[in-house]
Amino acid sequence: MKRANRPAALPVVTPVLALLLATPAFGIDFQFEGYGDIRLVMAPKTDSLLDGGLGKLRFGEDDGGIEPGDIVGEGRAIILPELTATATVRANPDYGPAVDLLEAFVRYRPVSTNAWRWSVKLGAFFPPLSLENDQVGWTSFWTITPSAINSWVGDELRILGAEGTLEYRREDQTITLVGAVFGWNDPAGVVMADRGWDFNDRPQGLFEHNRLPDISGFGAPPPVYGKLFTEMDGRPGWYLDLSWEPEDLGGFEIMRYDNDADPRRIKDGQIAWATSFWDVGYQKQLGKMTVLAQGMTGSTTIVPSDFYRQTTDFRSAYALVGYDLDKWWMAARFDVFDTRTRATFPSDANEDGHAITLSMSWLPEKWLRFTGEMIAIDDRRDSRAETGEDPHRNETQFQLLARIYF
Amino acid sequence: MFHRLLSLFAVASAIACSTASGGTVDVVVTDANGKPAANAVVALANDTAQPASHVPPRSVIDQQHETFLPLVVLVRKGGEVVFTNNDTTMHQVYSFSAIKQFQFEIDKGQVSKPVIFDKAGVAAIGCNIHDNMVAYVFVADAPYAAITDAKGTAELRDVPDGAWHASVWHPQSRIGKQPAPTALAVAGDTRLALKIQISAAPAMSRMHKDY
């Protein structure tokens, strides 16, 4: 994997931004919200995933103490009541581009006065599979750091394309079918194969160079970068997501995702990763208690030559129990994860692990949130032996976050 | 002297009338844990009373900070609801409820045309732009109805003595899980305690992204 050049302008994002900038302000409502945060961090003495290591956490041996977090702003233009344009911008001087986009899309949703409602979305956005990340800037209400599943979604997946939604609404239940066709995500899978699962609340920016593990360079001097949001084979990917929310039983969700990349395609020194997965989710509120559970199983494949084929199977699941006391809330989550790589030549990219996350938040004012969080991970990743490290690790990260909403 | 006699007569008549017409029914609504249930609608009906005679004919729902205020309004069957927008953004108000379907756009500072509710029941109201906005219009055909306050209490005035049945509804009571009407004998001022099973308000609503 070679160090990437600066990514070209994203074909789907550009017209969305152009629309945002070119639309006359008269008669359009603009809304803006976001947050900025700062953290007190106690990091493990291992290498952070953001520094090219095989650690599982955002912070590592080079971090600790006061860490400036992110400033995230989400702007929306209500062009018509049925037509809105949304862009989410992140500023973080510490890592990656100082300013980057997380999402930028337009949504058209005609009002409906019967049980059926449809809408379409065009641009760059997250797939709708996270049960945790439903707050401004794709953050979680319950914890600072999302589960392994949703960390990976933030790490590698972004939908650059069109999504359609059809809802059937009744007083006692709602059924929603979401389908999308997208491009520019053919390298998705490389992080899962080379680094495995992680726990990271910093989703990949759309214009950001993706820092891959140093061992992905096959001896090239670090850092090693890739371009995640690029089209390589001209074949669109797709997903279908079906959710059912009966009033008494909670919410059920199932998704099939396939980026339909051509695993033989090599372009600009990058390989296309054919990645597909099933995701299932369940959520239920019982009084002040909320239960979230998700499971994912999938695979990613490359065939860089007639003589080599590699497939990494990946699985993870979590259960989160949250307790909400209005100004205070707490959450406990248990994650399990593994990967298995089958290749023409023997591979050492397998991993097994589990993690416990405990979190407590306090909202003294509507604009101010404090969250304390601990993540303890116990895992084994065989490829750590390549750099002389012990494949087995225990990593623990503490964070105390102060986040101001605006 | 004549005026004094007239005044005394008037007071005596008022007392007599109030005794003859019954009294005030003080209602307390609690949830399954005994905690006050605010925003519950309590209705009193019997076989003979005039429909909706003591229920407001008109209510107002305001919009502020991407929220409908109040959460629940009450109108009599055939009554009307007016929407005002004191927010900093436009809204697209709609309902697909069985008793009433409508939609309109309302810009900042505007007042809507009255929306007539000519069927009894509950209409859930939403905004097509801001998904977390919700309000409920309770359309009563019972002669007496009131909404509970933060203490779970409501007052139904001038209820005639006699046999009534009291029903209660809450926006978080599940479809088909509302309690059966309670028999109530009104004899002057009367107290009534009602229980209703309500589901928890959605967690995370304080900071929920709505688009």
Side-chain angles (χ1 to χ4, degrees), chain A residues 237-263:
Chain A
W238 60 273
Y239 61 78
L240 276 176
D241 179 85
L242 180 67
S243 62
W244 178 45
E245 295 168 80
E247 188 185 47
D248 282 345
L249 301 176
F252 301 86
E253 184 180 36
I254 184 165
M255 173 188 266
R256 176 67 181 170
Y257 168 103
D258 191 340
N259 74 352
D260 201 27
D262 175 1

Side-chain angles (χ1 to χ4, degrees), chain A residues 327 362-366 368-370:
Chain A
K327 284 188 183 301
W362 178 41
L363 195 77
E365 302 289 340
K366 275 201 154 186
L368 180 61
R369 168 184 178 173
F370 295 100

Side-chain angles (χ1 to χ4, degrees), chain A residues 1 13 41-42 55 62 116 133-134 182 195-196 200 216 241 259 278 294 312 364 382 403:
Chain A
M1 189 71 61
V13 177
V41 175
M42 281 177 62
D62 297 331
W116 297 90
N133 300 62
D134 58 1
F182 59 88
R195 194 171 69 207
N200 177 18
S216 297
D241 179 85
N259 74 352
W278 286 98
Q294 267 187 274
T312 297
D382 294 344
R403 180 170 286 172

Side-chain angles (χ1 to χ4, degrees), chain A residues 31-47:
Chain A
Q31 296 183 302
F32 188 74
E33 61 178 325
Y35 67 82
D37 63 40
I38 190 163
R39 306 163 189 222
L40 182 63
V41 175
M42 281 177 62
K45 300 290 179 204
T46 50
D47 43 357

